[in-house]
Amino acid sequence: MVSTHTQTSPAREAREARKVRPRGERSPLASVGLHLTLLVATLVAVFPPLWLVITSFKPKTDAFDTSVVKNFTFGNYSHVLADTQFLAWLGNSLIVVGITTVIGVFISATTGYAVSRFRFPGLRPLMWLLLITQMFPVAVLIVPLYNLLASLGMLNQPVGLVITYLTVAVPFCAWMMKGYFDGIPAEIDEAGRVDGLTPFGTFWRLIMPLAKPGLAVTAFYTFITGWGEVAYASAFMTGEENLTLAGGLQTFVNQYTADWGSLTAAAVLIAAPAAVVFGLVQRHLVSGLTAGATKS
């Protein structure tokens, strides 16, 4: 008996001495591997925009130089702002995107609220319609939309682009807002009706303040849809003075010439407003994008 105890004691002690890692805790090697992977992914994501900014401060002759800026210059920016139609493109984009964002957020919010709270004939076909419209690629829609806008006299008109961008943004945003409204207790609507509010009054005064995260995501998505869209803007708007910012970028690079310095400078100027808008709404993005994942 003593011999058996002596033989098994080391194995037992080794098992007891071995630390049992809590469930979900990573080993040091796994932690190092995860952090290295995240570091590499971050570098891959940051390098293109960083190199774009660096190239925008290089002379045109050094555009393909792989070294960091040797001859720092603001010449590309001054050329874009003073010698091109950039300011006209900026004005066109602000008009189109501003109107698209305001109308798109309102339509998406009211549509999402309606399909979330009310039951009416045609509800299911409407939901399917909103879903199916997202399945068509841009290339398929350009020709029919062009013919439709031409028949209505809306080519080279900001209102034509606004309508086009709304057809892209509203279906997706309406689905997203429905998910967010589904997560807001219906008892709030009932309390509003008890207090004598109309359905729209309940929506506007009680539900909208609670839906700020979802509205922020909707506004951001609608803004980005119009701000960076190229295909429709290039097909429906002609003449440099009528182009938007995304369409105007194409004038710097074509089959005959390539002004990479001006292109990168203009791209940085275009990205700056989008970064500002993202900074304003980023605290709402996580909660807004995960809306509808859970219900109370």
Side-chain angles (χ1 to χ4, degrees):
M1 295 296 294
V2 174
S3 176
T4 303
H5 176 73
T6 303
Q7 293 176 356
T8 58
S9 291
R12 185 182 298 110
E13 292 176 357
R15 289 195 299 270
E16 292 176 354
R18 187 184 302 129
K19 293 182 178 179
V20 179
R21 186 175 298 110
R23 187 175 183 178
E25 181 179 335
R26 291 186 296 270
S27 66
L29 183 60
S31 181
V32 171
L34 176 62
H35 284 81
L36 287 177
T37 302
L38 293 175
L39 179 61
V40 172
T42 301
L43 292 176
V44 171
V46 171
F47 179 76
L50 178 61
W51 193 253
L52 182 75
V53 174
I54 292 175
T55 305
S56 68
F57 292 107
K58 292 181 179 181
K60 297 178 181 180
T61 55
D62 297 342
F64 293 99
D65 192 340
T66 56
S67 62
V68 185
V69 183
K70 293 185 296 186
N71 302 308
F72 188 89
T73 178
F74 283 103
N76 295 323
Y77 289 91
S78 61
H79 170 70
V80 168
L81 293 174
D83 302 329
T84 69
Q85 297 285 339
F86 184 85
L87 295 180
W89 305 336
L90 177 62
N92 295 336
S93 290
L94 290 175
I95 293 173
V96 171
V97 173
I99 297 174
T100 301
T101 301
V102 172
I103 298 178
V105 169
F106 181 77
I107 296 178
S108 300
T110 52
T111 303
Y113 180 75
V115 297
S116 173
R117 290 294 196 266
F118 303 109
R119 297 295 176 264
F120 51 87
L123 173 62
R124 186 174 296 275
L126 174 61
M127 299 301 295
W128 275 107
L129 180 63
L130 294 176
L131 182 62
I132 292 174
T133 54
Q134 300 298 298
M135 300 180 182
F136 293 96
V138 173
V140 174
L141 297 175
I142 286 181
V143 173
L145 285 175
Y146 183 93
N147 293 332
L148 179 62
L149 293 179
S151 64
L152 297 174
M154 292 184 180
L155 291 178
N156 271 342
Q157 299 293 330
V159 64
L161 275 185
V162 169
I163 294 174
T164 303
Y165 293 158
L166 288 175
T167 63
V168 176
V170 167
F172 172 80
C173 292
W175 264 98
M176 183 172 60
M177 290 303 300
K178 177 190 180 299
Y180 194 87
F181 290 133
D182 286 344
I184 298 177
E187 288 78 7
I188 296 178
D189 303 65
E190 296 174 1
R193 287 194 292 270
V194 170
D195 290 338
L197 293 176
T198 63
F200 184 80
T202 302
F203 163 75
W204 187 258
R205 299 181 60 179
L206 300 181
I207 304 300
M208 287 287 278
L210 299 175
K212 287 182 179 179
L215 294 174
V217 177
T218 299
F220 182 71
Y221 179 81
T222 308
F223 174 86
I224 293 299
T225 297
W227 192 257
E229 200 281 326
V230 178
Y232 291 140
S234 302
F236 303 156
M237 309 295 281
T238 58
E240 287 196 18
E241 69 281 358
N242 295 321
L243 296 177
T244 59
L245 287 170
L249 279 180
Q250 299 181 84
T251 63
F252 296 115
V253 178
N254 53 50
Q255 59 180 332
Y256 302 109
T257 61
D259 188 352
W260 295 108
S262 299
L263 176 67
T264 54
V268 172
L269 293 174
I270 293 173
V276 171
V277 173
F278 176 80
L280 294 175
V281 303
Q282 59 88 22
R283 67 190 183 94
H284 295 300
L285 288 180
V286 175
S287 57
L289 287 173
T290 56
T294 59
K295 290 185 179 181
S296 58

